Amino acid sequence: MKAILTTLVLLAALLVPVGTAQAVTTGNGSLVYAPPAGSAFDAAGTTYAKIIALKNNGTHNGELLVTYDQLVYVSGHQVYPIYRSTDGGSTWSHVSDVVPSSTFPSLTLTSQPFLYELPQAVGGLAAGTVLLAGNLMPADRSSSRIVLYKSTDRGSTWTYLSTVDTGGPAVYDPSPTSTTTTVWEPSFNIDASGNLVCYFSDERQKASGVLQAVVYRKSTDGGLTWGPVVNVAAVGNKSDRPGMITVAKLPNGKYIATYEVVNRPSQTLNTAPVYYKLSDDGVTWPSGLGTQIKLADGRGIGSSPYVRWVPAGGPNGMIVVASKWGLDSSGNINGGQDFFVNYNLGLGNWERLPFAVTYDASDTQGGFFSGFAQGIDVSPDGTTLYQATNVENASTTYNDIRVGTIPLNADHYEAERATVNNVSTVTHADASNGAKIGNINYSTSYVQFDVKAPAAGTYTVNVRYDNGTGATSSHLVSVNGGTAFTLSYPPTYDWGRFRWAQFTTALNAGTNTIRFSYNGTYAELDFIDVHRPGVAVPGEFKIVNRNSGKYLEIASALTTDGAGAGQWGDTDHMTQIWKVSSAGTSGYYTFTNKNSGKLLEIPSGSTANGTQADQRSSNGATYQHWSLTPTDSGYYKVPNRNSGKLLEIYQNSTADGAIADQWGDTGCACQQWTLVKEGIQ
């Protein structure tokens, strides 16, 4: 979907200076740019926020660059502004403008920018070169041109490199009778052969019944010249209209492409659900439309997706997809405050991870295309996810550009799974795990989290809340029964719009309590994340048996050496949560029970079929090591390193309490497992 195409009104305006930014987790992120009131020629003010965290620039690694579609004229033309942060996104400086009209004087309109840092040398371009692509148009939008610029000094100066492709008028018409021939929405990646690939949307195949395709052109000389157009997804039914493609490389060498499909689920209910495909090399893609990204309950996402793979979150890292809005199981717009994530290399179940920055996804509160075509990236150490997006500003009626962060090294605790008193569980589409705690309204009301800390020290606690009172609210917070302090919650737009509060506290090694109590005002709690900045932690998961659908656990929540492992339905207890960590040898992992702190093993190094798995303190033995061998649909076989036999549920049982043992490969579904994270305590 494209930005709103409005009548252009020439308004001279200058970039406003960047003020002091707010904290990047609280305050709905930090402010990068706010269009001055009365300055923009489009009701949105800004769209297409894009961000990269430098990872191939030596001592400058970790610096952040942001650009966006700035719907304001500078001296009679548009520019691509470049902002930089050297403090993790807390503050921003305007460092340069890319001015396409200096190369193409008649092309005064810019749109759809994309930033990309080369991870390796390509042609004559060195690793660390920053690329910017965008779509250029004349004032009457009578043509479209995808162009490429490069910077070798981290965005300070830019050089025109090449034109990737040209198309017809930039007119958005998704109807089956459309005759448009536009090229739109470029993005980049490096294919398996080391070539630079530009992916984009192409409306020039209508003679074949293709309303719009997502395609690519490949460059073997570092972006100077481009090969032929090749389809990634093109459907000849004059209706399905894939667009806004981005591509990420996965650690197994495969690639994932995500894109919206306009005119889905129907031409009358056009909410542009997000689809994906997997490729072995980034340029060879299966035929067809692809697979819609959905949760197990049928919820999806729609409009202007962006995909990244990040190394944190689990043994395979995770695929993170940002999109403008959420969809219910029927395809209707319904919320939109969560990334959709996959921990299994694009196979199997999708889950959610809350946004750092929220916005009015359905534009019902005065925003215009808020959250449209946002960008995400991860810090070089893999512990921080950055989100750049446009957010409605009630004062100017335009969208600001804001950047927020989410820690990827946090332990997660759901409010509805905590110990509660005199409160209510409230369902909400955008709440983590679909629920939050409300009605914390009485002197006896509280929500108490039992928090496991791996070591004594100072921890940061991020609190996802909503507060629709219109004024600042608060709770009293006490840690381990100590003196309570006041935690404030600035107002959110309503009782369905989430933001973040934050505090730091000392925690003891082992179990701690954090209690939130009524303090005379009103706010609701979704969950807390507890982490130590800069300290990586293993991913925490429930391990689900494919045959029974039940969770691997230590029976009766025992903490003793030798306690047996089995399966049980969901109990909300930490004995069903496992920390999946590298065993120090490539391809092998340890599974540490969160409740006991002990490792899953095959006792005494047995190699016999039917030996029950149990738990024991870490001893470095290979019988405490496991691997994850993919099967299909996101499931794994889990062989023990010592015996080579598979973790299973004995005799294919579906009963609560059935033991987990090892056995040679039988091909049975009871020997397959998947990793699930959302909603764990």
Side-chain angles (χ1 to χ4, degrees):
M1 298 179 71
K2 312 301 182 289
I4 299 172
L5 302 178
T6 60
T7 302
L8 302 181
V9 179
L10 181 59
L11 295 172
L14 299 176
L15 295 176
V16 295
V18 178
T20 301
Q22 303 176 52
V24 295
T25 299
T26 59
N28 210 27
S30 62
L31 177 66
V32 179
Y33 171 76
S39 65
F41 61 74
D42 188 293
T46 64
T47 55
Y48 284 90
K50 294 292 180 283
I51 186 169
I52 56 172
L54 299 182
K55 303 177 183 67
N56 301 278
N57 272 270
T59 59
H60 297 285
N61 286 348
E63 292 183 3
L64 305 174
L65 297 180
V66 161
T67 192
Y68 50 91
D69 190 9
Q70 179 177 273
L71 303 174
V72 171
Y73 280 123
V74 176
S75 301
H77 55 260
Q78 281 183 270
V79 300
Y80 294 119
I82 306 295
Y83 283 75
R84 180 187 296 146
S85 175
T86 59
D87 57 10
S90 293
T91 59
W92 295 87
S93 299
H94 175 222
V95 295
S96 65
D97 287 326
V98 180
V99 186
S101 61
S102 63
T103 305
F104 304 98
S106 65
L107 303 181
T108 57
L109 299 184
T110 63
S111 186
Q112 304 156 2
F114 188 87
L115 284 173
Y116 183 68
E117 182 195 25
L118 289 178
Q120 63 191 63
V122 178
L125 302 177
T129 301
V130 178
L131 303 180
L132 182 145
N135 194 4
L136 305 185
M137 300 160 282
D140 62 1
R141 300 183 182 268
S142 58
S143 66
S144 50
R145 176 188 292 259
I146 294 175
V147 296
L148 178 62
Y149 294 83
K150 68 173 183 178
S151 174
T152 59
D153 54 11
R154 308 171 352 269
S156 294
T157 59
W158 296 85
T159 303
Y160 169 73
L161 192 58
S162 65
T163 291
V164 178
D165 212 334
T166 58
V171 177
Y172 175 58
D173 180 3
S175 68
T177 58
S178 168
T179 59
T180 52
T181 56
T182 323
V183 292
W184 307 94
E185 307 152 349
S187 67
F188 285 95
N189 217 300
I190 305 296
D191 71 10
S193 299
N195 300 306
L196 182 64
V197 182
C198 182
Y199 305 91
F200 58 99
S201 303
D202 182 5
E203 295 193 73
R204 299 170 300 182
Q205 302 182 41
K206 290 185 169 62
S208 300
V210 176
L211 192 61
Q212 178 173 280
V214 284
V215 304
Y216 69 82
R217 297 185 76 173
K218 181 172 63 176
S219 175
T220 60
D221 58 8
L224 295 176
T225 60
W226 297 90
V229 172
V230 181
N231 289 335
V232 175
V235 182
N237 61 9
K238 297 186 178 180
S239 180
D240 289 329
R241 190 178 189 273
M244 305 198 77
I245 182 174
T246 58
V247 174
K249 187 176 182 179
L250 307 180
N252 60 355
K254 293 182 181 292
Y255 292 74
I256 183 170
T258 61
Y259 40 89
E260 66 180 19
V261 181
V262 171
N263 294 331
R264 287 261 172 163
S266 67
Q267 291 175 18
T268 54
L269 181 60
N270 174 16
T271 54
V274 177
Y275 282 65
Y276 74 103
K277 286 185 177 183
L278 297 172
S279 166
D280 289 333
D281 57 10
V283 290
T284 306
W285 299 89
S287 61
L289 188 58
T291 303
Q292 188 178 348
I293 293 178
K294 288 185 176 182
L295 306 181
D297 64 3
R299 284 188 62 82
I301 46 177
S303 176
S304 55
Y306 191 103
V307 64
R308 282 280 192 188
W309 176 83
V310 303
N316 293 312
M318 61 180 172
I319 298 167
V320 183
V321 182
S323 196
K324 176 170 167 49
W325 50 53
L327 302 174
D328 66 19
S329 58
S330 298
N332 301 291
I333 295 173
N334 183 231
Q337 299 179 67
D338 300 287
F339 303 108
F340 272 41
V341 297
N342 180 285
Y343 299 98
N344 301 306
L345 299 173
L347 300 175
N349 53 292
W350 288 80
E351 302 184 28
R352 296 180 300 177
L353 179 74
F355 280 166
V357 179
T358 62
Y359 51 83
D360 180 16
S362 58
D363 294 339
T364 60
Q365 296 161 333
F368 296 91
F369 270 65
S370 304
F372 189 76
Q374 58 191 289
I376 52 177
D377 202 1
V378 67
S379 60
D381 66 2
T383 65
T384 303
L385 184 69
Y386 299 104
Q387 176 193 12
T389 189
N390 58 327
V391 180
E392 73 276 8
N393 183 324
S395 297
T396 65
T397 72
Y398 299 138
N399 289 301
D400 298 340
I401 299 296
R402 307 190 73 88
V403 170
T405 64
I406 289 290
L408 298 177
N409 58 341
D411 288 339
H412 182 88
Y413 298 88
E414 291 283 347
E416 71 273 14
R417 294 177 180 256
T419 301
V420 299
N421 190 70
N422 204 9
V423 300
S424 299
T425 299
V426 181
T427 58
H428 189 275
D430 280 332
S432 178
N433 203 39
K436 58 184 177 178
I437 293 296
N439 294 318
I440 313 170
N441 299 347
Y442 309 100
S443 60
T444 57
S445 298
Y446 65 81
V447 180
Q448 180 170 298
F449 299 90
D450 292 332
V451 171
K452 283 271 192 178
T458 299
Y459 289 75
T460 297
V461 180
N462 289 343
V463 182
R464 196 184 194 218
Y465 75 93
D466 59 346
N467 165 21
T469 66
T472 297
S473 295
S474 66
H475 285 147
L476 291 175
V477 180
S478 60
V479 179
N480 292 326
T483 302
F485 60 90
T486 298
L487 181 65
S488 295
Y489 305 115
T492 56
Y493 280 89
D494 53 37
W495 288 105
R497 178 88 168 262
F498 293 100
R499 288 178 69 171
W500 297 89
Q502 186 182 79
F503 63 91
T504 58
T505 187
L507 296 179
N508 303 318
T511 301
N512 300 261
T513 61
I514 302 178
R515 177 177 288 197
F516 295 74
S517 302
Y518 176 67
N519 195 34
T521 53
Y522 310 106
E524 297 177 326
L525 297 180
D526 187 16
F527 65 84
I528 63 173
D529 276 343
V530 182
H531 68 108
R532 287 183 291 174
V535 178
V537 298
E540 293 187 347
F541 295 93
K542 290 186 176 180
I543 302 177
V544 185
N545 188 263
R546 184 171 192 172
N547 178 64
S548 67
K550 294 185 175 178
Y551 301 124
L552 181 69
E553 67 168 23
I554 296 299
S556 303
L558 293 172
T559 59
T560 53
D561 279 345
Q567 71 175 5
W568 205 278
D570 192 357
T571 63
D572 292 354
H573 197 279
M574 289 185 192
T575 193
Q576 294 182 334
I577 299 174
W578 300 86
K579 293 178 178 285
V580 182
S581 309
S582 170
T585 301
S586 178
Y588 290 99
Y589 304 92
T590 58
F591 299 157
T592 304
N593 189 266
K594 188 169 184 178
N595 180 62
S596 67
K598 296 185 175 180
L599 274 60
L600 185 73
E601 65 165 17
I602 296 298
S604 303
S606 172
T607 60
N609 283 338
T611 304
Q612 183 179 8
D614 67 6
Q615 67 175 4
R616 194 167 298 274
S617 298
S618 176
N619 60 21
T622 57
Y623 54 78
Q624 294 184 331
H625 297 175
W626 306 83
S627 61
L628 295 167
T629 304
T631 59
D632 64 338
S633 303
Y635 287 91
Y636 300 89
K637 296 178 181 179
V638 183
N640 184 266
R641 184 178 181 183
N642 177 66
S643 68
K645 295 187 174 178
L646 304 182
L647 183 69
E648 67 164 20
I649 295 299
Y650 184 62
Q651 291 188 339
N652 210 27
S653 175
T654 59
D656 283 341
I659 69 166
D661 70 331
Q662 69 173 3
W663 205 280
D665 191 346
T666 64
C668 182
C670 70
Q671 294 185 329
Q672 296 183 38
W673 306 82
T674 193
L675 306 177
V676 175
K677 178 169 286 194
E678 184 179 353
I680 65 175
Q681 181 173 302

